[in-house]
Amino acid sequence: MGTLTNKRILLGVTGGIAAYKSADTVRRLREAGAEVRVVMTAGAAEFITALTLQAVSGHPVHQQLLDTGAEAGMGHIELARWADAVLVAPASANFMARLAQGRADDLLSAVCLATESPVAVAPAMNQQMWSNAATQANLATLKKNSIGIFGPAEGSQACGEVGPGRMLEPTELVALVSDLFASGELDGLTVVVTAGPTWEAVDPVRGLTNRSSGKMGYAVAEAAVEAGARVILISGPTSLPDPERAHTIRVESAQEMHDAVHAHIADADIFIGVAAVADYRPTQIAKDKIKKTQEKMTLDLERTPDILASVAALKPAPFTVGFAAETENLEQHARQKLATKNLDIVAANRVGADLGFGTDENSLLLVEPAAVTELPMQPKARLARALIAHVAARYRAKHSAKVHTLRRP
Ligand code: PMT
């Protein structure tokens, strides 16, 4: 099962007795780390109250397509863009028919039509309704349109009949939603990622550091996990929890980060240096807290080891991706780093007040010897997935090119 940490899941609830399970579905999705918003159809409101779903999701429930007050400032297009995935559970026969037709006459169907993210339905209905040729034809259309179909299960039904049409249990739905994010693009590969700032001690209580929160690096590590990689995350001091299913190693200084990277790099197929590593550190760390006895003081600094350059210089080197934090001339500076450090890709981002460091959103310019790709401003989790998809494609291309070269007679 993949992780749902930082995923935005829009749960659509339609009219059916299984709607009573929606509160549990919301709870389980949140336990798996997802942020959840709920859209209810008019039919759903006959079975469960909006208040219940608001209480368990922690957000107002969205019900009306054209009611600005009820939408609380989040219209159908914003909801469609917000969602990383849409799960409709339970999905009634009527809703499946409307989705198959591409209708957009209520909020939920409009969101499903407007989103670029994956959409899945968990059918729940009487077994005769499920088996009916019309429902089966709608099902075929939904599959053809790349809508995920979760279930249904077979068993005794609320109407007293027995057969297919029971909604899957919330725990099964959460596992299937997690799998929507599992791309398999990095199956069998090991990825080492650095993240966060470093702390260069001046004395026992003071140090040199920067504003990196670790959000970007942790998102990259999580996206690599989702893509099937074994991930080693080497993190400077952050307040973020360890990502699920990554092996996280906490370090403090640039030297410790360098040593931890080199202790694990022999196994790595891909290295991604997202950390904002200090370029300089004090030449001496005072044993005791420095007293303010002088009007002015000068700190003597020396260069820290360049972790990225040292990885790229290994023979053989892993596929090496560096980041570049720039305030100006993004592509030009990134291209310099690409050439001088002999990297495969430089992911350049503009930094400054409210840009890059500490923010929830970011954009990247991916600079390679013969290409430049722009990944526009978006939440860091989504941006990281796009970066990992790009890296995986380039890694595969580089390695299949090597295989072809070796095979040439
Ligand atoms: O953590 P967040 O708050 O989410 O912010 C994300 C970020 C802005 C920190 C991130 O997107 C980013 O830009 N990371 C790189 C920051 C940086 O130090 O850039 P740089 O241009 O100074 O360094 C270039 C590359 O060399 C980086 O890959 C860096 O990890 C690496 N480096 C730098 C110095 C050093 N001694 N060793 C290194 O490996």
Side-chain angles (χ1 to χ4, degrees):
M1 186 172 121
T3 173
L4 287 181
T5 307
N6 292 332
K7 301 294 179 304
R8 295 162 160 186
I9 308 300
L10 191 140
L11 178 69
V13 183
T14 73
I17 185 63
Y20 83 90
K21 293 186 179 175
S22 302
D24 195 29
T25 307
V26 172
R27 193 173 64 87
R28 305 255 177 204
L29 286 166
R30 291 189 72 190
E31 277 172 7
E35 188 183 342
V36 183
R37 305 261 178 167
V38 180
V39 173
M40 290 172 84
T41 63
E46 302 291 331
F47 291 90
I48 186 166
T49 70
L51 200 58
T52 303
L53 294 171
Q54 173 170 332
V56 287
S57 69
H59 294 284
V61 169
H62 305 267
Q63 290 178 277
Q64 306 296 331
L65 180 57
L66 299 173
D67 179 345
T68 47
E71 284 193 41
M74 232 198 189
H76 64 288
I77 298 297
E78 284 95 327
L79 278 168
R81 285 193 192 133
W82 174 88
D84 291 320
V86 177
L87 168 67
V88 182
S92 63
N94 179 47
F95 182 76
M96 286 176 64
R98 296 174 55 246
L99 189 59
Q101 286 175 16
R103 300 274 288 268
D105 52 1
D106 74 357
L107 180 59
L108 184 56
S109 52
V111 168
C112 290
L113 210 57
T115 190
E116 286 181 10
S117 297
V119 177
V121 296
M125 66 197 72
N126 163 271
Q127 53 97 18
Q128 280 296 344
M129 293 171 79
W130 172 253
S131 306
N132 188 287
T135 303
Q136 291 301 309
N138 291 331
L139 180 68
T141 305
L142 294 179
K143 284 183 180 166
K144 187 164 70 67
N145 293 347
S146 303
I147 305 289
I149 312 293
F150 294 171
E154 287 204 33
S156 58
Q157 302 198 302
C159 55
E161 295 178 16
V162 177
R166 278 171 63 106
M167 189 177 84
L168 295 183
E169 293 303 320
T171 49
E172 295 172 291
L173 293 176
V174 171
L176 288 166
V177 171
S178 300
D179 288 347
L180 289 176
F181 297 98
S183 69
E185 288 158 324
L186 296 179
D187 272 352
L189 300 180
T190 296
V191 179
V192 173
V193 180
T194 64
T198 61
W199 171 270
E200 309 303 329
V202 172
D203 69 15
V205 293
R206 303 187 182 97
L208 303 178
T209 189
N210 60 65
R211 291 181 187 277
S212 169
S213 62
K215 287 178 190 169
M216 190 70 232
Y218 281 51
V220 168
E222 278 161 6
V225 167
E226 271 168 30
R230 172 177 164 259
V231 176
I232 300 165
L233 171 65
I234 299 170
S235 171
T238 73
S239 57
L240 302 175
D242 293 358
E244 278 179 47
R245 300 200 304 144
H247 174 41
T248 305
I249 299 168
R250 301 267 176 181
V251 297
E252 217 166 64
S253 65
Q255 187 64 53
E256 285 172 14
M257 188 173 274
H258 171 275
D259 295 349
V261 165
H262 283 277
H264 292 89
I265 205 69
D267 296 337
D269 301 288
I270 298 173
F271 174 76
I272 309 180
V274 194
V277 186
D279 291 318
Y280 291 91
R281 64 185 171 204
T283 45
Q284 302 264 325
I285 303 174
K287 196 161 71 52
D288 298 311
K289 184 178 170 217
I290 299 170
K291 299 281 176 218
K292 53 171 190 278
T293 48
Q294 304 157 10
E295 270 315 301
K296 283 188 174 180
M297 80 174 277
T298 307
L299 276 179
D300 203 19
L301 302 178
E302 64 185 8
R303 289 290 298 267
T304 55
D306 190 322
I307 302 165
L308 184 63
S310 68
V311 168
L314 291 171
K315 303 237 175 316
F319 188 91
T320 307
V321 182
F323 265 61
E326 307 293 347
T327 50
E328 47 164 15
N329 300 333
L330 216 55
E331 185 178 342
Q332 191 192 331
H333 290 308
R335 216 160 261 300
Q336 258 164 18
K337 284 187 173 131
L338 189 76
T340 53
K341 297 192 186 184
N342 196 21
L343 308 174
D344 290 289
I345 302 177
V346 170
N349 51 187
R350 207 172 280 286
V351 294
D354 300 331
L355 268 184
F357 284 83
T359 55
D360 290 331
E361 296 203 335
N362 200 8
S363 62
L364 291 174
L365 195 68
L366 306 185
V367 179
E368 297 165 85
V372 176
T373 309
E374 207 174 330
L375 302 179
M377 188 63 76
Q378 55 197 303
K380 284 180 175 171
R382 202 175 286 183
L383 183 66
R385 263 177 253 139
L387 171 67
I388 286 295
H390 190 92
V391 169
R394 293 294 201 253
Y395 173 88
R396 297 277 175 213
K398 184 172 177 178
H399 286 267
S400 72
K402 264 192 194 154
V403 171
H404 289 144
T405 315
L406 289 174
R407 281 197 189 132
R408 203 171 293 148

